[in-house]
Amino acid sequence: MPNSNAKLPSNHRGGREASRRELVSRSLQSAQHCLENQDFGTAYAHYLLVLNLAPELKTAVKETFQFTLFKWAEELDSLARIQDLFNCYEQALELYPNDEVICNSMGEHLFRMGFRDEAAGYFHKAVKLKPDFADAKENFYRVANWLVERWHFIMLNDAKRNLTYLRAIESAVHSGSKSVLDIGTGTGILSMFAKKAGASFVYACELSKTMYELARDVVAANNMDREIKLLHLKSLDIEIPKHIPERVSLVVTETVDAGLFGEGIVESLIHAWEHLLLPPK
């Protein structure tokens, strides 16, 4: 039985390397020829082969690869081959996981197809990767206008409401409620109230990807990202100990808009009472 750990003879290794280089060279030539003939699908396939065989060429071919990807994606979109389009972007992001241009382009396709929450995630990532990327910033603000409900802004500017919540949370925490779950955290304001009041453990769940990302930014900006655990989940999907280690002693929520039934507020509170909240003493 051959020894799988045995070293290949140097001439054999050299032959394999020469073959790899030859295949890479031919594929690059074929990709260029396909681009000249506007055969973007075949050119894209050649570039995938090149980048998998020669990852050291990623920087050198990045711009041409992006151009090929975007042109091929336009064709797939026009042919309504949506799954193929997304597959191409997933392949591209495996090769260039931190490429803000590809992230932004993926977001644009998702937004046009109505997947606004998912689009916001890609736009947000693009802005994180390159804060001065004007197109991504404009796209993120545009999709945020669709997703961030106006009542969030009204609530955040309602000083009386905020003070009432702060006092109620402080009272509960000072009375012994040291672990808190914030359902539908939105911007994370109630979670931060709980932490500032002295809660030892604060968990917050948010179903909307856009609001979840926003909450992460807000919490981090207030230096509480290590003290508040944010979950991109429906409260009904929270499991102990998978997501939180044990039942909490206080549940807070501000899901009072017309969209609360999308989360199922009654079901959420019943679930929290039965499965996530410590029984009353």
Side-chain angles (χ1 to χ4, degrees):
M1 184 175 179
N3 183 357
S4 60
N5 295 319
K7 295 183 178 179
L8 293 171
S10 60
N11 61 341
H12 185 72
R13 293 198 303 272
R16 288 185 62 181
E17 177 62 18
S19 297
R20 183 186 73 91
R21 291 181 179 178
E22 177 66 18
L23 181 55
V24 168
S25 177
R26 288 184 178 181
S27 292
L28 283 172
Q29 292 174 9
S30 297
Q32 188 60 42
H33 178 74
C34 290
L35 286 178
E36 292 170 358
N37 290 282
Q38 298 189 347
D39 182 0
F40 300 114
T42 307
Y44 175 77
H46 280 297
Y47 277 119
L48 280 185
L49 178 61
V50 168
L51 290 168
N52 279 287
L53 287 174
E56 67 273 13
L57 296 178
K58 283 184 178 181
T59 302
V61 304
K62 183 170 77 168
E63 289 187 8
T64 310
F65 175 76
Q66 288 174 343
F67 172 81
T68 306
L69 168 67
F70 301 156
K71 286 294 186 180
W72 179 225
E74 287 177 8
E75 284 192 22
L76 292 173
D77 193 8
S78 68
L79 296 170
R81 292 171 56 183
I82 306 307
Q83 189 58 57
D84 289 335
L85 185 154
F86 288 143
N87 288 342
C88 287
Y89 273 96
E90 288 175 3
Q91 292 166 339
L93 287 169
E94 285 180 6
L95 293 166
Y96 296 96
N98 295 317
D99 189 287
E100 71 279 359
V101 178
I102 295 176
C103 286
N104 183 64
S105 181
M106 175 67 154
E108 289 176 337
H109 282 287
L110 286 165
F111 184 78
R112 283 196 295 271
M113 294 173 190
F115 300 106
R116 291 168 182 157
D117 207 20
E118 293 82 355
Y122 282 97
F123 294 144
H124 185 263
K125 182 178 180 180
V127 173
K128 282 285 191 180
L129 290 167
K130 188 177 181 182
D132 61 347
F133 187 5
D135 287 350
K137 287 171 68 175
E138 181 180 345
N139 284 332
F140 180 70
Y141 295 144
R142 177 164 56 114
V143 75
N145 284 333
W146 288 87
L147 293 171
V148 180
E149 298 86 344
R150 294 292 182 265
W151 57 268
H152 275 292
F153 301 108
I154 297 172
M155 285 195 316
L156 293 174
N157 288 283
D158 186 343
K160 184 177 179 180
R161 165 206 167 274
N162 292 338
L163 183 59
T164 300
Y165 264 98
L166 175 60
R167 287 174 175 170
I169 291 171
E170 284 179 340
S171 176
V173 171
H174 295 165
S175 296
S177 297
K178 295 300 183 181
S179 56
V180 180
L181 171 64
D182 180 5
I183 296 177
T185 192
T187 58
I189 188 170
L190 299 187
S191 293
M192 291 188 291
F193 284 170
K195 195 62 196 178
K196 287 182 177 179
S200 302
F201 306 99
V202 180
Y203 312 99
C205 65
E206 176 56 54
L207 178 59
S208 165
K209 177 68 172 176
T210 303
M211 294 308 302
Y212 167 75
E213 294 289 355
L214 179 60
R216 288 181 61 185
D217 287 345
V218 172
V219 168
N222 285 273
N223 298 315
M224 294 187 184
D225 46 322
R226 294 186 178 181
E227 300 175 318
I228 297 173
K229 182 176 180 179
L230 288 163
L231 303 167
H232 181 216
L233 286 172
K234 288 180 66 174
S235 59
L236 292 171
D237 294 331
I238 296 176
E239 298 177 15
I240 297 173
K242 182 178 180 180
H243 301 114
I244 61 177
E246 57 188 4
R247 288 175 177 252
V248 298
S249 50
L250 176 66
V251 171
V252 297
T253 187
E254 177 63 342
T255 45
V256 296
D257 76 316
L260 61 84
F261 298 104
E263 167 74 5
I265 188 61
V266 175
E267 292 84 351
S268 296
L269 294 178
I270 291 175
H271 177 77
W273 178 267
E274 293 181 344
H275 302 285
L276 307 176
L277 189 65
L278 287 169
K281 295 180 180 180

